[in-house]
Amino acid sequence: MDNIFSASWIKPARQRKDTAIDFTKHFEARPFPKKAELQISCLGVYNCFINGKNVTSSVLNPGWTDYNNRIQYQTYDVTELIEKENTVKVGVGIGWRFHKWYDLSSKIISHGTLALIASLKLTYEDGEEINIYTDGSWKASENNVRYNNMYNGETVDFTFREKEGTPARVIPYTKDTLIPHEGAPITENEVIRGKKLIKTPEGDTVIDFCQELTGYPVFYVKGKKGDKIKLRHFEMLTKDGNVYTENLRSAKQEINVICDGKVHFVKPLYTFYGFRYIAVEGMEITSPDEICAVVVHSEMKRTGHFNCSDDTINQLYNNIIWGQKGNFLDVPTDCPQRDERLGWTGDAQVFCKVASYNFNVEQFFRKWLGDLRVMQKNSGSIPSFVPTKSDDHGGSSAWADVVTVLPWQMYLTYGNREILEENYLLMKKWVDFMRSWALKKKPDEGVSTDPYLFEGHWHFGDWLALDLPDKEAVGGATDKDIIGSAFFYYSACLLIKASQVLGKDCKYYKNLAKNIKKSFIRKYIDANGRMICNTQTAAVLALHFGLYDKKEPLAQQLTELVNSAGHLTTGFVGTPYLLHVLSDIGESGLSYKLLTRKEFPSWCYPVTQGATTMWERWNGYKPDGTFATPEMNSFNHYAYGAVGDWMYENMLGIKQKEGSAGFTDIVFSPETDRYFSFAEGSIENRFGKVYSRWEFTENGCEYTFKVPENTNAEARINGKTYKLNTGINKIVL
Ligand code: BGC
């Protein structure tokens, strides 16, 4: 058993609300141990220094899990830091610990308790072993972070003089929930200097980083004793060029500093901010680079690249990348700025495919799938966001289906069947939940009696679709029962596929899927073979999930709907599949038309408005310069960035052969379009880089495909198949 289990949880004897705590321990050590290993976790988030040196290169530890069930601890090799006289100092702030939507209170720890657990093991050449554990000999004191809150930010008071700490109190808090770190550590990944200094018409001094990002600023302050400095972080300027913070809802996103007359380096320690701009008060700024922004996200290796002849599309791709960077912080969040920042299941469901092409997210998602497993209800239902404290019964289609879609996608991208094994029960219980719901006949409540349709359940629907007259309405026009039953079928099919990979019997689910499809057709397809619900999303789902084998009438319905609207009208549910489906039905030209459209609504409209990340809404900032409702209008929400997977798979044509996984068998089938003179890009996997390029030249269209070692590959272009070799292949047509 790891050493940390011999340590005790400690908390300060007294703790003022909202302040951060330093836990300190002095000890002498015989120089020099052969090895020194620290294991540490906390209720809150910590930073840790031994003899003034930072122990960890990651931040916001121990990360975010459902703390009632599991709390990660980290292990660090600190051999190099140990001296004869030693001081371990651990700062603990609130972090996700008592988050608006998440709570961890019990008889032992009240709402505000910050607590620490740590063990330090010194091993000597002669075999001696010294263990230092958190216990009553540690001291606890308030530190100069007088206020800290995940959403509101931090207040640092440099005039605050730390008092000598008082002995920490041991608390009998459970250690059963401690688990070794599973996720990808959150790290500081790049530093962006402030780029523009703006004086707004209302008189605010604003620094523009020219990039929406997630992280925190770093800067030096020097002010007279008692001077107050305030930084406000926000995403957008109004059309008149003034500070716009309404869409942050209650999240203040501030840093407040109280000066003591000396120069200090400021860096927030216990939270992060989602912002492009910072408004500065109380400090004179002469150059924008007096403040730098540190970009933080979970460590993930960049694996995908894309580039083409059109700058707007390149910027769109860039925005997708930044949407991912901004929202992968131990948990895949909906947004990094307003008072939410939650692991919304639906958002991750739609984005996980492109996420896995852009970056290696295997470890990141494996950890979050662990969170999903512990949060799955006994019924098999899945909460709408994870971790959660809410009693939300969850179970919304397309949100809860993350538990089938995500493991399957991770298997497809990384070829690792363990991820399916780990999550098989999670997948199965969710499908079983839908089946048992479908079996509950509730005719009195107007719910269908069909035992194969997932109807009458509460759903988010085609979130933020534009097919209702009210363009700010959230649920979209697609019948929620249709979405429910379509995803019931889809999840059952993914469960069957997973069963086949794992060699498990799936007769029952095959039969189930067959019956869902039959019932779906009977109820939702009319005599002409079209969806009775006349929306883009309804047709997209039926086509994409293979719910009706006679594709033509559905294909016609979809093209008619797109052509008559002249643009997409889909929301979170339909958007990820829309271009894939259009391409599948031979309407690649229409896919390109939608992709390259610049007017609202479209993927490129935000780009024309200067967007540097994906927006939550198609109409977040309207052509007339007004904003959509501040109630829900984030400018860093990755969901619509799912279009990136079409760019990799269809535009570049990097696809896997049906039935294969982990890029062992590649089919290059790029869809070219004269709107572009070239497109190129790659996805790196365990075998190497899969690269694709096409370019219109005077010789025709020149294709270049690079095939890594140990990979089978072919190209399928204009109905012809070409066998490809390892290395570079060129085809001119
Ligand atoms: C979030 C979404 C989420 C939704 C639920 C919102 O507040 O930001 O992205 O999926 O609620 O429908």
Side-chain angles (χ1 to χ4, degrees), residues 334-335 338 340 344 347 399 460 463 572 616 632 637:
D334 56 336
C335 56
R338 70 173 176 231
E340 202 152 359
W344 279 99
D347 306 43
W399 271 252
F460 285 113
W463 197 246
F572 275 32
E616 177 172 26
M632 232 191 47
H637 234 77

Side-chain angles (χ1 to χ4, degrees), residues 168-337:
R169 213 170 262 178
V170 170
I171 48 169
Y173 187 65
T174 180
K175 289 182 249 176
D176 296 348
T177 44
L178 287 169
I179 54 159
H181 192 86
E182 274 186 8
I186 303 173
T187 47
E188 297 182 337
N189 291 286
E190 55 198 288
V191 176
I192 299 184
R193 285 168 184 277
K195 296 244 161 45
K196 286 187 198 156
L197 189 56
I198 302 169
K199 196 82 186 158
T200 71
E202 285 175 357
D204 287 304
T205 301
V206 169
I207 295 180
D208 181 1
F209 290 84
C210 297
Q211 175 61 58
E212 162 113 18
L213 61 98
T214 299
Y216 33 75
V218 284
F219 54 102
Y220 286 93
V221 289
K222 183 178 187 306
K224 287 195 300 308
K225 189 168 179 197
D227 276 2
K228 289 188 175 148
I229 294 165
K230 184 193 284 291
L231 269 60
R232 286 183 295 152
H233 303 69
F234 61 100
E235 303 185 279
M236 295 289 278
L237 293 171
T238 64
K239 69 171 173 200
D240 305 322
N242 288 314
V243 175
Y244 181 73
T245 55
E246 262 180 84
N247 68 324
L248 304 175
R249 305 200 305 216
S250 72
K252 287 205 171 63
Q253 291 218 111
E254 287 179 359
I255 297 175
N256 287 286
V257 180
I258 301 167
C259 302
D260 67 350
K262 297 197 193 101
V263 178
H264 289 282
F265 178 68
V266 180
K267 167 167 145 173
L269 295 170
Y270 307 111
T271 188
F272 57 88
Y273 305 76
F275 64 102
R276 167 175 169 164
Y277 302 96
I278 298 180
V280 186
E281 287 165 42
M283 179 166 98
E284 206 198 328
I285 301 277
T286 49
S287 164
D289 62 4
E290 283 167 34
I291 299 189
C292 291
V294 180
V295 178
V296 302
H297 56 77
S298 290
E299 210 166 55
M300 40 191 188
K301 183 180 175 217
R302 180 80 184 265
T303 47
H305 291 276
F306 176 92
N307 181 32
C308 68
S309 52
D310 184 77
D311 284 344
T312 309
I313 297 296
N314 289 337
Q315 184 61 43
L316 169 66
Y317 175 77
N318 227 17
N319 294 358
I320 297 170
I321 295 290
W322 275 97
Q324 183 164 353
K325 289 189 203 176
N327 284 293
F328 275 50
L329 274 97
D330 216 27
V331 162
T333 58
D334 56 336
C335 56
Q337 72 300 80

Side-chain angles (χ1 to χ4, degrees), residues 583-619:
S583 291
D584 286 350
I585 61 174
E587 293 286 348
S588 179
L590 207 45
S591 297
Y592 272 110
K593 217 167 131 192
L594 295 185
L595 179 75
T596 55
R597 178 184 158 91
K598 291 196 175 67
E599 302 75 28
F600 161 79
S602 65
W603 284 281
C604 288
Y605 166 70
V607 177
T608 66
Q609 302 303 306
T612 58
T613 34
M614 300 307 296
W615 292 357
E616 177 172 26
R617 289 177 177 266
W618 297 117
N619 54 354

